[in-house]
Amino acid sequence: MKMDHFETLHRPDEQEPAAVAGQRWRAWRLLLATRRSSAETMVSSERTLISPLMLRRPLVRALYWGVFSLLLLGTVTTFGPLYWMVSGALKSNVEIFQTPPTFWPTHPQWSNYSNAWQILQLPLYMCNSLLLAIGAVVLQLLVSATAAYALSKLRLRGKNALQFAFFATLMVPSVVYLIPQFVNISDLPLIHVSLINSWAGVWLPEAANAFNILVLKSFFDTIPSELIDAARLDGASSWQVFTRIVLPLSRPALAVITIFTVIASWKDFLWPLLVLSNSNLQPLLVALYHESGLNANLPFSYLMAGLVFASIPPILLFLLFQRQIIRGVNLTGLKG
């Protein structure tokens, strides 16, 4: 009924007075709100792989608990290195390297964390990592969202060839790009400017991310074309459709891209190591690597404490937004 009423209000051959135009605008807003509500309902509905009725069968129940036990064992195993890192930061240098190793420090030295915080200058490097992550999020959202919108909703010549060129890069190992990227960053074509020892040299190569474009295009494809057509009949330009309809409906996918980008930027090591030689600009992981080499006499427990501090933000981010990550991955169709 809403669609019939909506189509009736959009007859192109009628002369529309101001009252009818107002009704058309209210109907368009109502349809947009209905689509948004149905999308949120779809997000909130979750199903399990095995129904309660199937779990009553002995064989299915045995397989279910067998798989559950294996997954639980794998989860506990992944906590092993994390526990070793946290407990190692509490040990003395002698106790860390003694054989056999101790499961828990004999005399926990909690001051190792505060000493590492000051000696390794962790506030400076954590701030650098945070600023690098913010810049990466802004650039990747801008480039990925506009590229995905163009591939999904705009009628472009050679769109299939562009799409193939974008997504073909997913098949190439990222290490292959290191030398060409470094040459370009060292001397940008046409303007001949070097971005070595500049955060722009880290941000620019990451701006066009084919994985993010694929995720957003998959989500944009699910937005009904009727909404786009209705907005264009009302005189909305492609940019207004993008900013007022597509982006507000794509908040789950944008949230997923933001979280993935922050985590990837925080743990990025090789490219910042190549580009940033100035110690005041380096992110946390690169700074810890250099500190371990420059200060050979530095207690190993301090480096372990520094790694603990470096691991806290990504873990907290995942714990806080794990529901949004899982729902966003489901919405974008990247299951399994």
Side-chain angles (χ1 to χ4, degrees):
M1 292 295 293
K2 290 174 183 175
M3 288 297 298
D4 296 339
H5 180 60
F6 180 76
E7 291 173 356
T8 303
L9 293 174
H10 282 80
R11 290 174 184 169
D13 54 346
E14 290 183 354
Q15 296 296 326
E16 297 170 325
V20 175
Q23 290 180 0
R24 285 182 51 192
W25 176 254
R26 285 193 292 274
W28 182 79
R29 293 288 299 272
L30 177 63
L31 184 59
L32 181 61
T34 305
R35 295 289 185 183
R36 186 177 300 173
S37 175
S38 61
E40 292 174 353
T41 304
M42 181 181 63
V43 169
S44 62
S45 61
E46 295 178 355
R47 294 190 306 173
T48 57
L49 292 175
I50 302 176
S51 66
L53 182 61
M54 293 179 65
L55 275 178
R56 293 178 183 175
R57 300 176 186 174
L59 179 60
V60 174
R61 190 164 58 247
L63 286 174
Y64 174 81
W65 286 110
V67 172
F68 180 80
S69 301
L70 288 176
L71 292 176
L72 182 62
L73 180 62
T75 304
V76 172
T77 304
T78 58
F79 279 103
L82 189 62
Y83 171 78
W84 194 252
M85 181 174 63
V86 174
S87 63
L90 297 174
K91 298 177 181 177
S92 63
N93 254 6
V94 177
E95 189 176 2
I96 287 179
F97 296 106
Q98 76 176 22
T99 304
T102 55
F103 184 75
W104 179 253
T106 308
H107 302 288
Q109 300 180 4
W110 297 98
S111 60
N112 287 346
Y113 284 102
S114 58
N115 293 336
W117 182 266
Q118 296 174 359
I119 294 174
L120 296 177
Q121 303 181 51
L122 294 184
L124 169 66
Y125 298 126
M126 292 185 82
C127 182
N128 290 346
S129 295
L130 180 62
L131 293 176
L132 282 170
I134 292 174
V137 167
V138 172
L139 273 181
Q140 290 198 25
L141 282 181
L142 179 65
V143 175
S144 301
T146 51
Y149 174 68
L151 293 176
S152 176
K153 297 300 180 187
L154 299 184
R155 298 181 181 89
L156 303 174
R157 287 186 178 180
K159 185 169 73 172
N160 292 333
L162 283 175
Q163 184 172 309
F164 175 79
F166 268 122
F167 299 152
T169 59
L170 290 172
M171 302 295 109
V172 182
S174 58
V175 179
V176 175
Y177 301 121
L178 282 180
I179 295 178
Q181 280 182 355
F182 189 81
V183 171
N184 286 329
I185 292 299
S186 303
D187 185 12
L188 286 179
L190 301 179
I191 58 177
H192 302 292
V193 173
S194 175
L195 296 181
I196 298 296
N197 270 329
S198 168
W199 285 347
V202 180
W203 288 331
L204 283 184
E206 298 174 348
N209 189 305
F211 175 77
N212 292 343
I213 295 173
L214 173 63
V215 171
L216 289 177
K217 181 187 177 299
S218 302
F219 191 87
F220 292 168
D221 288 342
T222 63
I223 296 176
S225 300
E226 291 86 354
L227 288 176
I228 310 295
D229 296 337
R232 283 178 175 155
L233 283 175
D234 283 340
S237 63
S238 296
W239 180 253
Q240 289 173 326
V241 170
F242 175 63
T243 55
R244 297 187 181 184
I245 297 178
V246 175
L247 287 185
L249 290 176
S250 307
R251 287 173 185 164
L254 295 175
V256 172
I257 295 299
T258 301
I259 295 169
F260 284 171
T261 303
V262 170
I263 294 176
S265 175
W266 190 271
K267 67 180 183 181
D268 193 13
F269 171 74
L270 184 56
W271 184 247
L273 176 68
L274 295 174
V275 175
L276 301 175
S277 57
N278 186 346
S279 60
N280 292 325
L281 299 176
Q282 291 169 349
L284 181 56
L285 293 183
V286 176
L288 287 177
Y289 169 75
H290 285 298
E291 290 291 340
S292 64
L294 293 175
N295 301 305
N297 296 325
L298 191 71
F300 193 72
S301 56
Y302 288 6
L303 292 176
M304 299 285 275
L307 292 174
V308 172
F309 284 117
S311 305
I312 290 176
I315 293 175
L316 285 179
L317 195 65
F318 178 78
L319 291 178
L320 290 175
F321 298 103
Q322 56 179 321
R323 186 179 296 273
Q324 286 77 8
I325 292 175
I326 295 172
R327 284 179 176 173
V329 170
N330 289 334
L331 283 174
T332 49
L334 297 177
K335 302 177 181 177

